């Protein structure tokens, strides 16, 4: 289990990460989300030990994480960091050897990962001859080369086409069966698809954390209402509700004081109603709600 405890980082006067607590459990995929500049990369760098905290602590299995512990982690940094003019297979074998693999074991592992990412026939190509999405696949392969004990991935999905996204999802699910996996992403639909847990950061602070289902259940329920006629504007006059949007005859609203059982009668007393549906909030909606 990888965890952060009151992890804080200042850059001069500016506090980029502010007393962040988070836990990444084995067997679960944790998504790390937040607007640009929220502090995700800075937190991940501290988890990996490439940046020291101003205060707070990173723990591995409940005790302070050491350099040795971190050598076991797989990391995909935001700035990436492979050698553009090195052949793919050579490059991956090189990283495997840095982690202590013997020559033939390193070569075999490089070949296996390139096959997995459909790059087996590009083994002798230079990294910078690949498309950006394929370079991204090699970045992930490099993070996996030493069979890591935990994975920390900074935006692994950015720039990937849908096939590569699917391959990445499959891979993360497979890896997360055994080890803690934390990844940051702005693609909330993907986070929703595969994450068990989510940590939402805003202005350097954790504003929400837990399983996707828990976050959903904390959210104020939202309703879709379709009224008779072309203008549902009158719904705004209802007491005890907050209207999120109106599009002709369709309204999205939340209850703000009105008990759920009174919504339909209150609507019907004011106008013609065709349908009222309770809507399960998407992660994007939850994100907007908790970060606003
Ligand atoms: N080396 C640095 N020196 C000064 N300020 C920094 C440094 N690194 C990050 N920051 C600041 O810390 C804040 C958090 O940045 P960070 O890159 O961690 O955010 P992020 O959530 O990863 O953003 P994005 O989604 O855009 O990648 C930003 O205001 C950024 O400008």
């Amino acid at each position: 289990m990888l965890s952060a405890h009151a992890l804080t980082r200042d850059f001069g006067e500016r506090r980029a990460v502010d007393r962040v607590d988070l836990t990444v459990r084995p067997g679960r995929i944790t998504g790390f989300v937040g607007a640009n500049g929220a502090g995700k990369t800075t937190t991940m760098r501290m988890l990996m030990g490439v940046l020291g905290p101003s205060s707070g602590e990173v723990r591995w299995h409940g005790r302070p994480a050491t350099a040795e512990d971190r050598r076991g982690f797989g990391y995909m940094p935001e700035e990436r960091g492979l050698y553009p003019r090195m052949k793919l297979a050579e490059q991956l074998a090189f990283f495997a050897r840095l982690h202590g693999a013997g020559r033939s074991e390193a070569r075999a592992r490089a070949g296996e990962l390139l096959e997995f990412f459909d790059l087996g026939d590009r083994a002798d190509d230079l990294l910078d001859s690949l498309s950006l999405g394929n370079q991204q696949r090699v970045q992930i392969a490099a993070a996996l080369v030493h069979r890591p004990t935990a994975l920390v991935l900074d935006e692994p999905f950015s720039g990937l086409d849908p096939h590569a996204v699917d391959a990445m999802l499959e891979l993360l699910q497979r890896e997360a069966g055994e080890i803690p996996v934390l990844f940051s992403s702005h693609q909330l639909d993907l986070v929703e698809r595969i994450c068990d847990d989510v940590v939402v950061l805003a202005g350097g602070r954790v504003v929400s954390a837990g399983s996707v289902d828990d976050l959903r259940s904390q959210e104020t329920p939202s309703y879709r209402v379709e009224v008779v006629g072309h203008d549902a504007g009158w719904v705004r006059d209802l007491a005890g509700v907050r209207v999120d949007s109106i599009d002709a005859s369709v309204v999205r609203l939340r209850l703000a004081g009105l008990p759920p059982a009174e919504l339909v009668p209150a609507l019907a007393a004011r106008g013609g109603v065709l349908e009222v549906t309770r809507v399960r909030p998407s992660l994007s909606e939850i994100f907007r709600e908790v970060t606003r």
Side-chain angles (χ1 to χ4, degrees), residues 9-12 14-17 32-45 51 78 154-155 184-186 201 203-204:
R9 174 70 201 208
D10 297 324
F11 291 110
R14 191 185 165 81
R15 179 150 291 187
V17 173
F32 200 20
V33 303
N36 290 129
K40 303 179 295 295
T41 295
T42 307
T43 303
M44 291 177 134
R45 286 184 176 146
L51 183 73
E78 186 183 45
D154 204 341
E155 298 201 31
S184 64
S185 179
H186 291 289
L201 214 58

Side-chain angles (χ1 to χ4, degrees), residues 47-271:
L47 290 175
M48 289 307 301
V50 293
L51 183 73
S54 303
S55 59
E57 192 169 67
V58 175
R59 295 185 196 152
W60 176 239
H61 297 318
R63 48 161 185 74
T66 62
E68 180 60 28
D69 294 331
R70 284 165 162 140
R71 264 195 290 281
F73 301 170
Y75 179 38
M76 181 171 170
E78 186 183 45
E79 63 278 11
R80 304 313 184 214
L82 296 182
Y83 298 102
R85 307 294 298 162
M86 201 167 168
K87 292 175 182 173
L88 305 190
E90 236 169 67
Q91 180 137 218
L92 291 177
F94 171 73
F95 283 113
R97 296 212 64 191
L98 281 186
H99 281 286
R103 194 180 294 272
S104 60
E105 185 193 349
R107 242 199 326 260
R109 181 72 176 147
E112 178 192 316
L113 284 164
L114 289 173
E115 283 302 326
F116 181 84
F117 283 105
D118 282 336
L119 289 168
D121 56 343
R122 310 286 307 259
D124 290 325
D125 290 355
L126 302 181
L127 181 76
D128 70 359
S129 71
L130 301 187
S131 69
L132 283 180
N134 279 337
Q135 291 189 29
Q136 189 98 323
R137 296 179 190 214
V138 184
Q139 292 283 351
I140 279 285
L144 291 169
V145 83
H146 58 299
R147 302 185 197 279
T149 52
L151 267 181
V152 175
L153 310 171
D154 204 341
E155 298 201 31
F157 292 100
S158 71
L160 296 186
D161 70 29
H163 295 298
V165 164
D166 288 344
M168 184 74 76
L169 289 172
E170 185 189 328
L171 182 110
L172 292 188
Q173 270 156 341
R174 197 180 66 178
E175 294 293 322
E178 311 279 328
I179 64 175
V181 175
L182 175 74
F183 75 90
S184 64
S185 179
H186 291 289
Q187 287 155 273
L188 298 180
D189 53 330
L190 288 178
V191 173
E192 186 159 16
R193 248 168 84 189
I194 61 157
C195 285
D196 304 292
D197 296 320
V198 183
V199 177
V200 186
L201 214 58
R205 293 189 180 169
V206 175
V207 290
S208 199
S211 74
V212 178
D213 288 339
D214 283 351
L215 296 191
R216 274 206 183 99
S217 61
Q218 286 162 19
E219 179 75 349
T220 327
S222 161
Y223 295 83
R224 178 187 180 279
V225 177
E226 189 172 355
V227 304
V228 177
H230 298 295
D231 182 8
W234 57 267
V235 177
R236 286 192 195 283
D237 300 332
L238 229 60
V241 306
R242 192 180 88 211
V243 170
D244 286 334
S245 66
I246 297 185
D247 181 6
S249 60
V250 175
V251 187
R252 282 291 293 266
L253 59 79
R254 278 162 220 265
L255 301 181
L258 188 72
E262 287 174 29
L263 176 63
V264 172
L267 284 163
R270 300 293 290 267

